[in-house]
Amino acid sequence: MPRAADAAGPERPFLAFVTHDMRDPLNALLGMARLLAETPLDEEQKGYVAAIADAADTLLTLVNDLLDLSRLEAGQLELASVDFDLPVFLDRLVTMLRPEAQRRGLRLEARVGPGVPARLRGDPARLRQVLLNLAGNAVKYADHGTVRIEVRTEPEAGPVVHLRFRVVDEGPGMSAGTVQRLFEPWTRGVDEAAEGPAGSGLG
């Protein structure tokens, strides 16, 4: 295993370089798709443009995630510290996930517990990244019921308020054995032979 890790080492700077250079053309593609969507189009053409924009946005997210991984491995990933509005943040998060939830016949909601402040200071981009992955997987694998994003306060430690974010769903869940292997590459949280969404086990 050490040899495999050493062999992969030189590829990481190259990966960071390539993904960094991919962002500009992807941003341009996404921008042009959005501008095109504002021109006179029939319904079929609007569908094509929306598909292009969605694909470009998904690929841009993947590229940014790869850059984050490179920074994390290099110890250079820094968290921002900015003020943001929690209700607005949650509303936008739910709005992003609602179309897929509706398509799958799921109810999607956010619930904020008592005592949770409306104004927070932290890194909303990283928080959104984590919650989109968790809630997105819940929407992907749940076949009925509700997917709920919950926020509640934890026991206070001095002047700092500690919050717990949790995603609750009625999906198939995972066995204790699967949980132990969850962070191994190529491991999926569902039975490989079972019907359901495909996945590589890397997300």
Side-chain angles (χ1 to χ4, degrees):
M1 291 302 294
R3 290 184 180 179
D6 292 342
E11 296 176 1
R12 289 169 182 164
F14 174 75
L15 180 63
F17 176 79
V18 170
T19 51
H20 183 273
D21 281 2
M22 287 175 64
R23 287 200 300 180
D24 286 343
L26 280 172
N27 276 314
L29 177 61
L30 192 55
M32 290 298 102
R34 287 170 176 166
L35 288 174
L36 182 59
E38 297 175 2
T39 63
L41 301 171
D42 60 35
E43 290 304 313
E44 184 177 10
Q45 291 169 331
K46 288 179 182 178
Y48 293 153
V49 173
I52 293 171
D54 286 345
D57 191 47
T58 299
L59 189 54
L60 183 60
T61 299
L62 177 59
V63 167
N64 287 332
D65 286 348
L66 288 171
L67 276 173
D68 287 343
L69 178 61
S70 298
R71 294 192 188 105
L72 186 63
E73 290 179 337
Q76 297 176 350
L77 183 64
E78 297 181 359
L79 297 179
S81 183
V82 298
D83 294 330
F84 66 99
D85 187 285
L86 180 62
V88 172
F89 171 87
L90 291 174
D91 183 64
R92 290 176 178 171
L93 186 68
V94 169
T95 298
M96 293 174 68
L97 294 168
R98 181 170 285 127
E100 180 63 14
Q102 290 178 337
R103 189 186 72 81
R104 294 181 55 79
L106 302 170
R107 176 181 173 84
L108 179 65
E109 62 184 27
R111 182 176 298 177
V112 179
V116 175
R119 294 289 294 174
L120 300 178
R121 186 168 185 82
D123 193 330
R126 298 301 175 200
L127 180 59
R128 182 184 304 110
Q129 185 180 32
V130 172
L131 291 177
L132 274 177
N133 274 298
L134 293 175
N137 270 347
V139 169
K140 181 178 180 180
Y141 289 103
D143 56 6
H144 69 280
T146 300
V147 174
R148 185 168 59 254
I149 303 168
E150 298 180 349
V151 190
R152 67 181 185 185
T153 57
E154 290 286 277
E156 294 186 14
V160 179
V161 177
H162 291 267
L163 301 179
R164 178 182 294 272
F165 289 79
R166 189 170 70 151
V167 176
V168 182
D169 66 81
E170 300 174 45
M174 292 179 288
S175 66
T178 300
V179 171
Q180 292 180 352
R181 299 183 293 108
L182 191 59
F183 293 101
E184 296 176 7
W186 313 110
T187 297
R188 295 184 60 201
V190 295
D191 184 357
E192 295 290 346
E195 293 185 2
S200 62
L202 291 175

